[in-house]
Amino acid sequence: MINYIKKALSVSVSKDEEYRDIIRYEAKIGSTLFGKIPDKHHREFFCLDEHTWVWHEEWLDKFGRRQSITTRYEVRPHGIFKIQAKMPHRRLNDEELQNFYLAVKLYGQKVTKELQRLVAQS
Amino acid sequence: MKIFDNSSEVKLPRASMDVLPDRIGIVTRAVVMAEYVAKNEIKNRTVLNSRFMLDTKAPISFDDPVPTIEQSSNHIITQAIGNSAYNEPAMHNIVPDKQSLPVEDDDPMSLKNVRRLVENSFEDLEDKAA
Protein backbone atom coordinates (compact mmCIF):
# COMPACT_ATOMS: atom_id res chain seq x y z
CA MET A 1 0.00 0.00 0.00
CA ILE A 2 2.73 2.43 1.00
CA ASN A 3 4.62 1.57 -2.11
CA TYR A 4 1.52 2.24 -4.17
CA ILE A 5 1.06 5.69 -2.57
CA LYS A 6 4.73 6.48 -3.04
CA LYS A 7 4.51 5.48 -6.67
CA ALA A 8 1.33 7.50 -7.20
CA LEU A 9 2.90 10.56 -5.55
CA SER A 10 6.08 10.28 -7.58
CA VAL A 11 4.06 10.07 -10.82
CA SER A 12 2.03 13.10 -9.77
CA VAL A 13 5.12 15.13 -8.82
CA SER A 14 6.78 14.17 -12.02
CA LYS A 15 3.74 15.26 -14.02
CA ASP A 16 3.68 18.58 -12.20
CA GLU A 17 7.35 19.03 -12.99
CA GLU A 18 6.73 18.25 -16.63
CA TYR A 19 3.85 20.68 -16.69
CA ARG A 20 5.99 23.38 -15.11
CA ASP A 21 8.75 22.72 -17.63
CA ILE A 22 6.34 23.19 -20.50
CA ILE A 23 5.09 26.48 -19.06
CA ARG A 24 8.69 27.66 -18.61
CA TYR A 25 9.36 26.77 -22.21
CA GLU A 26 6.22 28.60 -23.36
CA ALA A 27 7.17 31.63 -21.27
CA LYS A 28 10.48 31.87 -23.13
CA ILE A 29 8.69 31.70 -26.46
CA GLY A 30 6.14 34.22 -25.16
CA SER A 31 8.90 36.65 -24.21
CA THR A 32 10.02 36.85 -27.84
CA LEU A 33 6.66 38.10 -29.09
CA PHE A 34 7.24 41.71 -28.11
CA GLY A 35 10.46 42.48 -29.92
CA LYS A 36 13.92 42.84 -28.45
CA ILE A 37 14.15 42.56 -24.68
CA PRO A 38 16.14 45.50 -23.24
CA ASP A 39 19.49 44.83 -21.54
CA LYS A 40 19.28 43.66 -17.94
CA HIS A 41 15.63 42.81 -18.45
CA HIS A 42 14.03 39.43 -18.08
CA ARG A 43 10.62 38.91 -19.54
CA GLU A 44 8.06 36.16 -19.58
CA PHE A 45 4.65 35.95 -21.11
CA PHE A 46 2.62 32.80 -20.83
CA CYS A 47 -0.79 31.22 -20.54
CA LEU A 48 -1.31 30.02 -16.97
CA ASP A 49 -4.66 28.37 -17.52
CA GLU A 50 -7.67 28.73 -19.78
CA HIS A 51 -8.63 32.12 -18.35
CA THR A 52 -5.35 33.58 -17.14
CA TRP A 53 -2.34 35.04 -18.90
CA VAL A 54 0.75 36.31 -17.13
CA TRP A 55 3.32 38.93 -18.03
CA HIS A 56 6.36 39.01 -15.76
CA GLU A 57 9.20 41.42 -16.16
CA GLU A 58 12.36 41.83 -14.05
CA TRP A 59 15.01 44.47 -14.50
CA LEU A 60 17.80 46.27 -12.69
CA ASP A 61 17.10 49.89 -11.87
CA LYS A 62 19.74 52.65 -11.97
CA PHE A 63 20.89 51.72 -8.47
CA GLY A 64 21.41 48.12 -9.51
CA ARG A 65 18.42 46.94 -7.50
CA ARG A 66 16.24 44.24 -8.96
CA GLN A 67 12.75 45.39 -9.79
CA SER A 68 9.94 43.24 -11.00
CA ILE A 69 6.36 43.52 -12.03
CA THR A 70 3.84 40.78 -12.61
CA THR A 71 0.68 41.46 -14.49
CA ARG A 72 -2.12 38.99 -14.67
CA TYR A 73 -4.68 39.22 -17.44
CA GLU A 74 -7.97 37.58 -16.67
CA VAL A 75 -10.27 36.67 -19.51
CA ARG A 76 -13.85 36.96 -18.33
CA PRO A 77 -16.95 36.58 -20.46
CA HIS A 78 -17.61 40.33 -20.44
CA GLY A 79 -14.06 41.58 -20.87
CA ILE A 80 -10.37 41.30 -20.14
CA PHE A 81 -9.08 42.58 -16.83
CA LYS A 82 -5.60 43.55 -15.76
CA ILE A 83 -4.47 42.73 -12.24
CA GLN A 84 -1.29 44.03 -10.63
CA ALA A 85 -0.13 44.02 -7.03
CA LYS A 86 -1.70 46.77 -4.91
CA MET A 87 -3.72 47.98 -7.86
CA PRO A 88 -7.44 47.65 -8.41
CA HIS A 89 -8.60 45.30 -11.13
CA ARG A 90 -9.24 47.25 -14.26
CA ARG A 91 -10.27 46.68 -17.83
CA LEU A 92 -7.62 46.93 -20.52
CA ASN A 93 -7.63 50.22 -22.36
CA ASP A 94 -8.04 50.26 -26.15
CA GLU A 95 -4.34 50.05 -26.93
CA GLU A 96 -3.66 47.32 -24.37
CA LEU A 97 -6.60 45.36 -25.67
CA GLN A 98 -5.26 45.49 -29.23
CA ASN A 99 -1.78 44.49 -28.06
CA PHE A 100 -3.16 41.69 -25.90
CA TYR A 101 -5.23 40.37 -28.79
CA LEU A 102 -2.21 40.33 -31.11
CA ALA A 103 0.07 38.81 -28.45
CA VAL A 104 -2.38 36.00 -27.71
CA LYS A 105 -2.85 35.29 -31.39
CA LEU A 106 0.91 35.11 -31.97
CA TYR A 107 1.37 33.04 -28.82
CA GLY A 108 -1.22 30.58 -30.06
CA GLN A 109 0.51 30.22 -33.41
CA LYS A 110 4.05 29.89 -32.10
CA VAL A 111 3.47 27.84 -28.97
CA THR A 112 1.00 25.39 -30.47
CA LYS A 113 3.35 24.78 -33.37
CA GLU A 114 6.25 24.19 -30.96
CA LEU A 115 4.25 21.87 -28.69
CA GLN A 116 3.06 19.88 -31.66
CA ARG A 117 6.67 19.53 -32.76
CA LEU A 118 7.51 18.15 -29.31
CA VAL A 119 4.63 15.69 -29.55
CA ALA A 120 5.94 14.51 -32.91
CA GLN A 121 9.41 14.07 -31.40
CA SER A 122 8.35 12.11 -28.34
CA MET B 1 7.47 37.76 -7.27
CA LYS B 2 9.98 35.57 -9.01
CA ILE B 3 8.47 32.86 -11.04
CA PHE B 4 11.32 31.51 -13.10
CA ASP B 5 15.08 31.44 -13.17
CA ASN B 6 16.72 34.26 -15.04
CA SER B 7 18.67 32.25 -17.55
CA SER B 8 18.16 33.14 -21.16
CA GLU B 9 18.79 29.60 -22.29
CA VAL B 10 15.72 27.93 -23.70
CA LYS B 11 15.66 24.32 -22.56
CA LEU B 12 13.46 21.74 -24.15
CA PRO B 13 10.89 20.67 -21.58
CA ARG B 14 10.86 17.19 -20.13
CA ALA B 15 7.41 16.48 -21.35
CA SER B 16 5.68 13.24 -21.96
CA MET B 17 2.70 12.28 -24.03
CA ASP B 18 0.64 12.37 -20.84
CA VAL B 19 1.13 16.08 -20.41
CA LEU B 20 1.74 17.58 -23.86
CA PRO B 21 -1.66 16.91 -25.45
CA ASP B 22 -3.38 18.26 -22.33
CA ARG B 23 -1.34 21.38 -22.46
CA ILE B 24 -1.97 21.89 -26.18
CA GLY B 25 -5.69 21.64 -25.41
CA ILE B 26 -5.47 24.20 -22.60
CA VAL B 27 -3.45 26.66 -24.69
CA THR B 28 -5.75 26.28 -27.67
CA ARG B 29 -8.87 26.87 -25.56
CA ALA B 30 -7.24 29.81 -23.77
CA VAL B 31 -6.22 31.41 -27.07
CA VAL B 32 -9.64 30.93 -28.65
CA MET B 33 -11.39 32.34 -25.58
CA ALA B 34 -9.06 35.34 -25.22
CA GLU B 35 -9.25 36.11 -28.93
CA TYR B 36 -13.03 35.90 -28.89
CA VAL B 37 -13.48 38.16 -25.86
CA ALA B 38 -10.84 40.66 -27.03
CA LYS B 39 -12.23 40.80 -30.55
CA ASN B 40 -15.76 41.33 -29.26
CA GLU B 41 -14.66 44.07 -26.92
CA ILE B 42 -12.65 45.81 -29.64
CA LYS B 43 -15.72 45.65 -31.90
CA ASN B 44 -18.04 46.99 -29.20
CA ARG B 45 -15.68 49.79 -28.33
CA THR B 46 -15.29 50.75 -31.98
CA VAL B 47 -19.06 51.04 -32.31
CA LEU B 48 -19.29 53.03 -29.08
CA ASN B 49 -16.42 55.32 -30.05
CA SER B 50 -17.94 56.00 -33.44
CA ARG B 51 -21.26 56.82 -31.77
CA PHE B 52 -19.71 59.20 -29.28
CA MET B 53 -17.07 60.66 -31.58
CA LEU B 54 -17.04 64.45 -31.44
CA ASP B 55 -15.99 65.62 -34.84
CA THR B 56 -15.61 69.24 -33.84
CA LYS B 57 -12.94 70.15 -36.36
CA ALA B 58 -14.99 69.22 -39.39
CA PRO B 59 -16.17 72.28 -41.29
CA ILE B 60 -19.87 72.84 -41.12
CA SER B 61 -21.43 72.73 -44.52
CA PHE B 62 -25.08 73.01 -45.34
CA ASP B 63 -24.51 71.35 -48.72
CA ASP B 64 -23.62 68.01 -47.16
CA PRO B 65 -25.79 65.05 -48.11
CA VAL B 66 -28.57 64.06 -45.79
CA PRO B 67 -26.98 62.14 -42.87
CA THR B 68 -27.76 58.50 -42.25
CA ILE B 69 -29.59 57.43 -39.10
CA GLU B 70 -26.23 56.53 -37.55
CA GLN B 71 -24.79 59.96 -38.36
CA SER B 72 -27.94 61.62 -37.11
CA SER B 73 -27.58 59.95 -33.73
CA ASN B 74 -23.97 61.18 -33.58
CA HIS B 75 -25.24 64.61 -34.36
CA ILE B 76 -27.82 64.46 -31.60
CA ILE B 77 -25.21 63.27 -29.11
CA THR B 78 -22.85 66.02 -30.23
CA GLN B 79 -25.62 68.54 -29.74
CA ALA B 80 -26.44 67.18 -26.32
CA ILE B 81 -22.85 67.19 -25.14
CA GLY B 82 -22.17 70.56 -26.67
CA ASN B 83 -18.47 69.91 -27.27
CA SER B 84 -17.71 71.68 -24.02
CA ALA B 85 -14.42 69.80 -23.74
CA TYR B 86 -13.18 71.68 -26.75
CA ASN B 87 -14.58 74.98 -25.61
CA GLU B 88 -16.60 75.20 -28.71
CA PRO B 89 -20.24 76.06 -29.03
CA ALA B 90 -22.76 73.31 -29.33
CA MET B 91 -23.97 72.47 -32.78
CA HIS B 92 -27.46 73.67 -31.95
CA ASN B 93 -26.07 77.14 -31.26
CA ILE B 94 -24.58 77.39 -34.71
CA VAL B 95 -27.24 78.78 -36.98
CA PRO B 96 -26.60 80.42 -40.32
CA ASP B 97 -26.13 84.15 -39.99
CA LYS B 98 -28.83 85.74 -42.16
CA GLN B 99 -26.63 88.70 -43.03
CA SER B 100 -23.95 86.43 -44.44
CA LEU B 101 -26.40 84.53 -46.63
CA PRO B 102 -26.38 85.62 -50.30
CA VAL B 103 -29.06 88.22 -51.03
CA GLU B 104 -31.29 86.81 -53.69
CA ASP B 105 -31.79 90.16 -55.40
CA ASP B 106 -28.08 90.51 -56.10
CA ASP B 107 -28.13 87.35 -58.15
CA PRO B 108 -29.13 88.25 -61.76
CA MET B 109 -30.18 84.67 -62.34
CA SER B 110 -32.42 84.45 -59.29
CA LEU B 111 -36.00 83.45 -60.01
CA LYS B 112 -37.29 86.78 -58.81
CA ASN B 113 -34.95 88.78 -61.06
CA VAL B 114 -35.49 86.56 -64.10
CA ARG B 115 -39.25 86.84 -63.67
CA ARG B 116 -38.92 90.61 -63.36
CA LEU B 117 -36.81 90.72 -66.54
CA VAL B 118 -39.34 88.66 -68.44
CA GLU B 119 -42.24 90.76 -67.17
CA ASN B 120 -40.38 93.95 -68.09
CA SER B 121 -39.62 92.67 -71.55
CA PHE B 122 -43.30 91.74 -72.06
CA GLU B 123 -44.31 95.20 -70.86
CA ASP B 124 -41.81 96.72 -73.29
CA LEU B 125 -43.23 94.65 -76.15
CA GLU B 126 -46.79 95.62 -75.19
CA ASP B 127 -45.78 99.29 -75.00
CA LYS B 128 -44.15 99.07 -78.38
CA ALA B 129 -47.18 97.31 -79.86
CA ALA B 130 -49.46 99.94 -78.43
Side-chain angles (χ1 to χ4, degrees):
Chain A
M1 183 69 184
I2 291 170
N3 279 343
Y4 174 79
I5 293 168
K6 270 186 182 170
K7 196 178 172 188
L9 278 174
S10 72
V11 168
S12 158
V13 166
S14 144
K15 265 194 177 180
D16 282 354
E17 275 299 312
E18 281 183 25
Y19 201 83
R20 230 169 283 153
D21 274 2
I22 296 177
I23 294 185
R24 278 193 200 106
Y25 189 58
E26 286 179 24
K28 300 277 185 199
I29 298 170
S31 72
T32 63
L33 303 178
F34 307 93
K36 194 177 177 288
I37 302 168
D39 279 348
K40 295 175 185 172
H41 273 240
H42 174 68
R43 179 180 297 160
E44 280 150 352
F45 177 69
F46 59 96
C47 162
L48 187 67
D49 58 39
E50 285 175 13
H51 313 278
T52 318
W53 295 79
V54 177
W55 168 292
H56 177 73
E57 183 120 4
E58 288 177 3
W59 70 98
L60 292 178
D61 67 11
K62 58 181 178 182
F63 306 108
R65 285 180 304 213
R66 177 172 283 193
Q67 303 288 339
S68 76
I69 190 159
T70 302
T71 309
R72 213 169 78 226
Y73 298 95
E74 274 192 11
V75 179
R76 299 180 192 168
H78 52 286
I80 295 165
F81 289 77
K82 181 177 177 176
I83 298 147
Q84 288 175 321
K86 295 173 191 169
M87 299 281 279
H89 296 200
R90 67 166 183 81
R91 273 175 186 272
L92 299 191
N93 66 32
D94 291 356
E95 203 183 345
E96 286 171 327
L97 194 60
Q98 280 281 359
N99 291 340
F100 180 78
Y101 172 71
L102 289 176
V104 162
K105 205 172 177 173
L106 271 175
Y107 186 96
Q109 286 167 4
K110 283 200 171 186
V111 167
T112 312
K113 196 175 161 189
E114 195 56 31
L115 295 184
Q116 277 165 350
R117 193 180 63 81
L118 291 175
V119 169
Q121 276 178 0
S122 59
Chain B
M1 184 178 162
K2 189 171 182 301
I3 302 174
F4 298 116
D5 64 32
N6 216 7
S7 66
S8 56
E9 187 189 349
V10 181
K11 291 176 193 157
L12 278 177
R14 299 166 289 168
S16 69
M17 284 303 288
D18 290 343
V19 176
L20 271 172
D22 274 3
R23 183 62 192 163
I24 292 174
I26 290 171
V27 171
T28 309
R29 284 193 293 275
V31 169
V32 168
M33 223 178 301
E35 272 187 15
Y36 177 80
V37 174
K39 215 173 176 176
N40 248 0
E41 216 179 337
I42 290 168
K43 203 171 129 192
N44 289 344
R45 286 187 192 183
T46 311
V47 171
L48 271 178
N49 287 345
S50 69
R51 281 198 183 145
F52 285 95
M53 192 171 63
L54 305 177
D55 193 4
T56 57
K57 301 296 172 201
I60 297 159
S61 165
F62 296 101
D63 300 325
D64 283 347
V66 178
T68 61
I69 293 169
E70 188 72 16
Q71 286 166 335
S72 299
S73 62
N74 281 347
H75 184 74
I76 291 161
I77 290 162
T78 313
Q79 282 186 354
I81 294 169
N83 305 350
S84 56
Y86 295 92
N87 237 356
E88 285 182 11
M91 282 288 282
H92 63 266
N93 288 335
I94 302 171
V95 288
D97 179 5
K98 281 180 186 163
Q99 285 182 344
S100 66
L101 286 172
V103 180
E104 200 182 11
D105 285 348
D106 289 345
D107 182 4
M109 293 308 287
S110 74
L111 188 63
K112 199 174 171 184
N113 284 340
V114 170
R115 190 182 290 141
R116 194 182 295 142
L117 274 173
V118 172
E119 282 170 358
N120 287 345
S121 57
F122 272 118
E123 279 172 14
D124 286 348
L125 282 173
E126 280 170 5
D127 287 346
K128 278 177 189 170

